[in-house]
Amino acid sequence: MEFFEQMNHWHWLTLGLLLLAGELLGTAGYFLWIGLSAVTVGVLYAVIPLSWQLQWVSFAVFSLFATWLWWRYQHKKDETSDAKRALNQKDKQLIGQTSRLEEDIIAGSCRIVLGDTTWSAKSFQDIPKGTLVHVVSVDGIILTIEPIKK
């Protein structure tokens, strides 16, 4: 208890700077908001006299609030980014791919070659062999194809 009662603003500023320095070592943001909260308490304590209990409550509240605000901001940004991303989402990567048919297709189910893999596909129209087709949508592992109009 004596340690807590003897804390002054320099202790908070030092703790905050140590946490921010730790953030530079690559903790992926874990120490950033906690370090800024400690610095905030240090600056606040330098201006306004606070009991040690209020210092620690302020530190906890600032840390939780700052972390929550950052999480909320980052979560929205990540959701928007993920919706646009095609990396590791094969279905999005396949849309727009083209292939030349190796056999005649009668409207319905068929198989086509894309790259080094054969895929189940469906077409809503008959398509002759040798026609260049492209993928217009993906439903699970079944591709919907259409001929490319020239």
Side-chain angles (χ1 to χ4, degrees):
M1 288 295 190
E2 189 175 320
F3 172 76
F4 294 125
E5 291 172 358
Q6 292 179 357
M7 283 188 71
N8 60 35
H9 66 282
W10 291 113
H11 291 107
W12 285 107
L13 293 173
T14 303
L15 174 63
L17 293 175
L18 285 173
L19 288 167
L20 291 174
E23 177 63 32
L24 293 175
L25 298 175
T27 61
Y30 293 110
F31 288 161
L32 177 64
W33 304 109
I34 297 170
L36 289 176
S37 297
V39 169
T40 303
V41 171
V43 170
L44 190 63
Y45 186 45
V47 177
I48 303 169
L50 301 170
S51 68
W52 69 268
Q53 296 94 338
L54 191 55
Q55 292 173 44
W56 284 97
V57 169
S58 299
F59 174 65
V61 169
F62 292 154
S63 296
L64 290 173
F65 186 68
T67 304
W68 177 76
L69 280 178
W70 176 251
W71 173 83
R72 211 170 146 211
Y73 167 77
Q74 191 64 38
H75 187 65
K76 282 183 184 176
K77 190 175 171 184
D78 288 346
E79 282 182 339
T80 304
S81 176
D82 287 346
K84 296 177 187 173
R85 185 175 320 177
L87 181 65
N88 295 330
Q89 297 180 19
K90 193 65 172 172
D91 56 339
K92 289 183 181 178
Q93 293 173 354
L94 290 171
I95 295 175
Q97 293 286 321
T98 60
S99 178
R100 191 161 304 277
L101 295 180
E102 296 177 354
E103 57 188 45
D104 292 334
I105 293 178
I106 299 172
S109 296
C110 60
R111 293 204 57 87
I112 65 166
V113 176
L114 275 177
D116 61 351
T117 307
T118 60
W119 293 86
S120 294
K122 66 180 176 183
S123 173
F124 297 110
Q125 58 186 323
D126 295 341
I127 306 173
K129 174 182 177 181
T131 304
L132 196 58
V133 296
H134 69 283
V135 178
V136 292
S137 67
V138 180
D139 182 21
I141 60 169
I142 300 174
L143 312 178
T144 302
I145 59 170
E146 290 181 352
I148 296 178
K149 296 177 175 84
K150 295 180 182 182

